Amino acid sequence: MTDVNLRQFKPEKLFAPRGFVKPQIESPQYLEIGAGRGKHALMFAQDNPNKHLIAIERTRNKFNDFAEKAEQLSLNNLKAVHADAIPWVVHALEPKSLAGVFLLYPNPEPKNPSQRWLNMPFFEFLLSRMQDKAKLVLATNIQSYIEEAEQLARNQWQLEPSVFAVDKSSQRTHFEVKYLARGETCWQMDLIKPEGYQTRFDDWVKE
């Protein structure tokens, strides 16, 4: 259960992204936020034909590159979305609709730590959209980032994270390929949403 003393996210104040069309949610449904040029999203969809992935990217040039590749491959289990992820998630997803979430190499926000995913009130809302036993995967090449995320997972979100070094042969994203090729250590944190975990948004649905 999340700490009720946390700053509360206010989804009712968010407008839908421009041109928003509510998607048909398939099952099992996964979400990737910050898909970049889509390297992980494309591989995931190809390797898991029975799983459905919504992959969101905000930056126009990266999204265009991703969307073009996705169209060429004609993957019917992948939806590429150009939007700001937070309002899109609020307007598009129902409670407990996600089987998993990927946050691969997000902006570490060195000048604005309050914008890191586990530091944001939105993270509670994101947890509410995950099914029981769904897994959230966070990856970064910054050790202090993963250490902070681990602490927040335990102390703020009452979750039990698993943190480990990413295999040197992994090639999920362009960032990951670059960092590992330079000999850097990349870190991954897995969070499993426990059965019975409660948030303040478990019954909240956008009208």
Side-chain angles (χ1 to χ4, degrees), residues 124-179:
E124 181 180 1
F125 188 89
L126 183 61
L127 289 170
S128 77
R129 305 300 100 168
M130 293 170 58
Q131 301 165 1
D132 289 351
K133 297 185 178 180
K135 181 167 73 173
L136 182 144
V137 176
L138 172 69
T140 181
N141 66 318
I142 302 173
Q143 187 172 358
S144 60
Y145 187 107
I146 209 74
E147 289 173 349
E148 179 191 68
E150 181 180 13
Q151 183 179 20
L152 289 166
R154 294 184 189 281
N155 299 336
Q156 185 157 293
W157 303 111
Q158 310 302 308
L159 296 167
E160 288 298 323
S162 172
V163 176
F164 52 92
V166 173
D167 189 278
K168 299 294 185 184
S169 64
S170 185
Q171 298 187 354
R172 288 176 295 186
T173 76
H174 292 93
F175 283 125
E176 188 166 82
V177 171
K178 179 176 69 173
Y179 298 145

Side-chain angles (χ1 to χ4, degrees), residues 13-127:
K13 296 187 177 295
L14 294 181
F15 293 103
R18 182 179 299 178
F20 174 78
V21 176
K22 190 165 184 174
Q24 179 179 347
I25 301 301
E26 306 291 346
S27 183
Q29 185 70 66
Y30 292 76
L31 174 69
E32 181 174 359
I33 298 178
R37 290 185 164 82
K39 184 174 176 63
H40 171 263
L42 295 166
M43 288 194 302
F44 180 90
Q46 289 175 302
D47 293 344
N48 300 277
N50 297 320
K51 296 178 180 179
H52 300 266
L53 176 66
I54 296 169
I56 303 176
E57 175 53 45
R58 181 172 58 183
T59 306
R60 168 60 72 178
N61 63 340
K62 291 181 180 179
F63 173 78
N64 286 345
D65 192 15
F66 170 29
E68 181 179 350
K69 293 173 184 173
E71 185 175 357
Q72 290 171 354
L73 292 172
S74 300
L75 297 166
N76 59 13
N77 62 333
L78 173 62
K79 181 177 180 60
V81 175
H82 179 236
D84 185 320
I86 293 176
W88 193 92
V89 166
V90 165
H91 285 263
L93 300 181
E94 305 289 322
K96 295 191 175 183
S97 59
L98 295 175
V101 177
F102 299 100
L103 302 171
L104 304 179
Y105 302 92
N107 184 339
E109 301 287 355
K111 296 182 180 179
N112 194 5
S114 65
Q115 293 301 304
R116 296 172 191 157
W117 287 113
L118 275 79
N119 256 332
M120 298 171 69
F122 168 72
F123 194 75
E124 181 180 1
F125 188 89
L126 183 61
L127 289 170

